[in-house]
């Protein structure tokens, strides 16, 4: 959901519109466009996704390299007064929202069943990919933080766009950013609609979501997901609760899954190093989860409802 808000903010930035006013309309437009693309049956564009990954890496590297000298100079001016503004609640908030940025990295597990010698290669792939992602995010975060120290407005949804130069090359990079976001949004729409389609076949969602067109595209799931996305986006706009609240609402569900993954890792892993990593992961998980307060009711409620539906359907099938 927030992917559309981020995409909408960059589209507004590219069009020269006020981000605060036009993020919601542009986000809805992005939902409609990507749904139409999927309805047309043009979702099998794996080569585009691979190209997008390469372009993202190149752009992140270019932006970081270009801003690195200024970033170093800015951090040399940091003194103790800057740290007086740092609070534990601020660190928690930043860590919780940044957690959202890593969502999608876990999709790497989808291909684990096709990897040769998985016992050896899966840990290697995981550590290398995570190290690359963490390095890129770490450097980019330093660049963004330095820009914030200079007084630049990088706190909005299109914050990275503020790092681009106000030149023709900057405009070209912004266009590429928007195209990347559209391609990724298309992939998200494709994946979510298939999740609804599979859930309908499993009896978890209404059977009407199983309908497909002559191309085999599950149009009912796509239209349902489009309606759901737009409804939530409009609700966010009307409730005026701010993107931060909804980022946290989305993130905490994945943090719950993160905690379950840690428990599975501790149970299945052996060796002192793995156990040590697991223990530190548990500590980090408790730090992340402690600040959500009443919001934690939301993912727990969804988990209970999903479990009850699964139990009910299992009993129904057995009978």
């Amino acid at each position: 959901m927030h992917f559309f808000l981020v995409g909408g903010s960059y589209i507004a930035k590219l069009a020269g519109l006020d981000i605060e006013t036009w993020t919601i309309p542009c986000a809805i437009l992005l939902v409609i466009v990507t749904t139409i693309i999927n309805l047309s049956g043009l979702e099998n564009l794996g080569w585009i996704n691979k190209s997008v990954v390469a372009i993202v890496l190149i752009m992140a590297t270019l932006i970081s390299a270009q801003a690195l000298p200024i970033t170093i100079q800015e951090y040399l001016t940091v003194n103790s007064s800057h740290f007086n503004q740092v609070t534990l609640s601020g660190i928690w908030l930043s860590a919780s929202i940044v957690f959202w940025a890593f969502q999608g990295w876990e999709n790497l597990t989808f291909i684990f069943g096709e990897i040769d010698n998985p016992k050896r290669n899966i840990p290697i792939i995981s550590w290398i990919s995570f190290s690359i992602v963490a390095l890129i995010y770490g450097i980019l975060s330093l660049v963004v933080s330095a820009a914030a120290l200079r007084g630049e407005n990088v706190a909005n949804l299109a914050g990275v766009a503020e790092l681009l130069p106000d030149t023709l090359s900057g405009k070209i990079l912004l266009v590429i950013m928007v195209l990347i976001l559209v391609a990724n949004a298309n992939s998200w729409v494709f994946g979510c609609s298939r999740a609804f389609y599979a859930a309908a076949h499993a009896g978890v969602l209404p059977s009407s979501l199983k309908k497909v067109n002559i191309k085999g595209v599950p149009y009912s799931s796509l239209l349902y997901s489009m309606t759901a996305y737009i409804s939530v986006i409009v609700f966010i706009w009307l409730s005026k609760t701010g993107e931060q609240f909804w980022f946290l609402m989305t993130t905490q569900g994945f943090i719950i899954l993160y905690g379950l993954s840690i428990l599975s890792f501790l149970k299945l892993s052996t060796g002192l190093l793995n156990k040590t990593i697991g223990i530190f992961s548990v500590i980090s998980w408790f730090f992340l989860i402690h600040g959500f307060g009443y919001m934690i009711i939301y993912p727990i409620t969804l988990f209970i409802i999903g479990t009850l539906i699964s139990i009910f359907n299992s009993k129904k099938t057995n009978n």
Side-chain angles (χ1 to χ4, degrees):
M1 179 56 57
H2 297 89
F3 194 89
F4 294 112
L5 292 175
V6 173
S9 66
Y10 276 87
I11 292 172
K13 177 74 175 180
L14 177 62
L17 303 171
D18 178 64
I19 293 178
E20 294 294 328
T21 304
W22 287 95
T23 290
I24 294 295
C26 290
I28 294 174
L29 176 64
L30 183 59
V31 172
I32 295 172
V33 169
T34 50
T35 301
I36 292 173
I37 292 173
N38 275 270
L39 285 171
S40 66
L42 298 178
E43 74 284 353
N44 190 20
L45 299 175
W47 65 273
I48 288 185
N49 292 329
K50 293 177 182 178
S51 301
V52 165
V53 172
I55 294 172
V56 167
L57 291 175
I58 293 171
M59 288 193 63
T61 303
L62 288 175
I63 292 173
S64 300
Q66 182 184 34
L68 191 58
I70 300 176
T71 300
I72 294 174
Q73 292 177 8
E74 198 65 46
Y75 276 104
L76 289 175
T77 64
V78 172
N79 53 53
S80 58
S81 63
H82 290 93
F83 292 96
N84 293 334
Q85 305 174 18
V86 178
T87 62
L88 186 63
S89 60
I91 295 173
W92 169 82
L93 180 61
S94 300
S96 299
I97 293 178
V98 166
F99 192 92
W100 178 84
F102 281 85
Q103 294 176 24
W105 177 76
E106 76 283 351
N107 291 345
L108 182 68
T109 58
F110 293 169
I111 64 168
F112 279 177
E114 305 174 20
I115 294 176
D116 295 329
N117 193 5
K119 188 173 182 179
R120 172 185 177 274
N121 291 329
I122 287 178
I124 293 175
I125 293 171
S126 298
W127 279 111
I128 290 176
S129 61
F130 183 78
S131 299
I132 293 173
V133 171
L135 178 63
I136 293 173
Y137 283 8
I139 294 174
L140 197 58
S141 66
L142 289 174
V143 172
V144 172
S145 298
L149 288 172
R150 293 195 302 271
E152 296 184 25
N153 182 22
V154 292
N156 57 54
L157 290 174
V160 177
E162 301 297 332
L163 302 176
L164 300 177
D166 191 19
T167 60
L168 177 60
S169 61
K171 293 292 184 183
I172 293 174
L173 287 175
L174 184 56
V175 170
I176 295 173
M177 279 184 172
V178 170
L179 292 177
I180 289 172
L181 287 167
V182 172
N184 275 278
N186 185 62
S187 297
W188 276 104
V189 169
F190 172 80
C192 290
S193 65
R194 268 53 179 185
F196 293 142
Y197 177 73
H201 272 281
V204 178
L205 293 178
S207 59
S208 59
L209 297 179
K210 295 190 292 185
K211 296 178 181 179
V212 298
N213 60 19
I214 57 175
K215 294 182 179 180
V217 176
Y219 70 91
S220 57
S221 293
L222 282 167
L223 294 176
Y224 169 79
S225 59
M226 181 186 73
T227 303
Y229 293 145
I230 293 177
S231 299
V232 174
I233 291 173
V234 171
F235 179 78
I236 291 173
W237 173 59
L238 293 175
S239 63
K240 301 187 183 304
T241 46
E243 296 87 358
Q244 177 179 295
F245 174 81
W246 295 102
F247 267 101
L248 293 175
M249 288 292 285
T250 302
T251 299
Q252 61 180 336
F254 286 90
I255 293 178
I256 295 292
L257 295 177
Y258 170 54
L260 296 174
S261 300
I262 294 172
L263 294 178
S264 300
F265 175 79
L266 283 171
K267 182 178 180 180
L268 298 174
S269 63
T270 57
L272 179 61
L273 177 61
N274 288 334
K275 294 297 183 183
T276 303
I277 293 172
I279 291 172
F280 276 105
S281 298
V282 170
I283 295 173
S284 71
W285 182 81
F286 273 112
F287 173 72
L288 285 172
I289 206 69
H290 90 280
F292 282 101
Y294 70 90
M295 285 192 291
I296 203 66
I297 297 173
Y298 169 68
I300 292 176
T301 301
L302 290 181
F303 178 78
I304 293 173
I305 292 174
T307 302
L308 292 176
I309 292 175
S310 179
I311 293 173
F312 174 79
N313 288 333
S314 297
K315 289 183 178 179
K316 188 176 179 181
T317 303
N318 294 332
N319 294 334

